[in-house]
Amino acid sequence: MNWKTHRGLSRGGPASLPRLLLLALFFLGGVVLGQVLAGRVPDATGDELRHYLADYVRLGGSGGVSSGAALSALVIYFRYPLLAFLLGFASIGAVLLPCTAAAFGFFLSFSVCCFTAAFGADGVLLALAVFGLRCAVTLPVFFLLAVPAWGTSAALASLSFGRGRRAAPVSYGRCWWLRMAVCAAVLLAGVCVDLFVSPRLLRLMLERVLA
């Protein structure tokens, strides 16, 4: 593995498309698993969700942006993209990144299915209000970070197992850090919009569904 290969790992070379497709397959596998397991959730869970959202409307929504809500939004937006970025520095990321993509798909699918189970067709609109903006921001950012991270973690794993003894160490160039900076800015913008727009949109949807 020469220096051009290492440079391509941080920028996303010819191997980026196969890695993207494989990670997308793991993500879709998690989505399917989430749908299957959501069908086994007791009906009482749907009733609890309906009562919780009814109380949310009765109390007038979030009532403003609190520090707890802001922290929660930061965690929700950054958890998978940041984990993908950090796994690019460890050889174990070669195994954990596909697992992370599957977990992302699973929990997203499971949550959406809970809404549809509780509210039927209207649950799709509610899920869109809750997860729409978040997914539009976090999904592209996750894959944008996970694809090159999987390449570097695989290279590190190769070096660790002795197949890259003659290769130079894996390097993280300017493009690697610039990518993360841009993604962090996009995620922060998504958090800000989500905090001020999503609660109002959700409340409007709930008033229509629970009316």
Side-chain angles (χ1 to χ4, degrees):
M1 186 182 297
N2 54 32
W3 69 273
K4 290 183 179 180
T5 304
H6 290 299
R7 189 178 181 184
L9 288 173
S10 63
R11 292 191 177 184
S16 295
L17 182 57
R19 290 198 299 267
L20 174 60
L21 293 177
L22 286 172
L23 286 174
L25 286 175
F26 278 99
F27 177 83
L28 291 176
V31 169
V32 173
L33 182 60
Q35 292 177 341
V36 171
L37 294 184
R40 301 181 180 181
V41 173
D43 295 335
T45 303
D47 294 335
E48 291 175 3
L49 178 61
R50 178 181 287 271
H51 291 320
Y52 171 79
L53 294 177
D55 290 339
Y56 179 90
V57 173
R58 181 174 56 82
L59 295 175
S62 62
V65 178
S66 64
S67 58
L71 180 59
S72 177
L74 285 171
V75 171
I76 290 173
Y77 269 76
F78 276 84
R79 56 186 173 182
Y80 291 111
L82 183 58
L83 180 59
F85 175 76
L86 294 177
L87 286 174
F89 294 96
S91 58
I92 192 65
V95 176
L96 291 185
L97 274 166
C99 295
T100 302
F104 195 171
F106 170 80
F107 287 110
L108 175 61
S109 174
F110 186 86
S111 300
V112 172
C113 287
C114 287
F115 274 90
T116 56
F119 298 98
D122 291 327
V124 177
L125 295 177
L126 290 175
L128 184 62
V130 175
F131 305 108
L133 174 62
R134 183 191 309 173
C135 290
V137 175
T138 57
L139 271 176
V141 170
F142 170 76
F143 284 106
L144 184 62
L145 294 173
V147 170
W150 202 15
T152 56
S153 61
L156 289 171
S158 179
L159 289 170
S160 299
F161 286 101
R163 287 183 291 175
R165 293 175 181 174
R166 298 182 180 179
V170 176
S171 60
Y172 301 88
R174 179 182 178 185
C175 185
W176 174 273
W177 301 104
L178 180 60
R179 182 189 297 112
M180 181 59 201
V182 172
C183 288
V186 172
L187 291 171
L188 284 174
V191 169
C192 293
V193 175
D194 203 335
L195 286 172
F196 290 98
V197 174
S198 291
R200 292 171 175 80
L201 181 60
L202 176 60
R203 187 164 184 265
L204 290 175
M205 292 290 186
L206 286 172
E207 288 175 347
R208 173 188 170 186
V209 172
L210 300 176

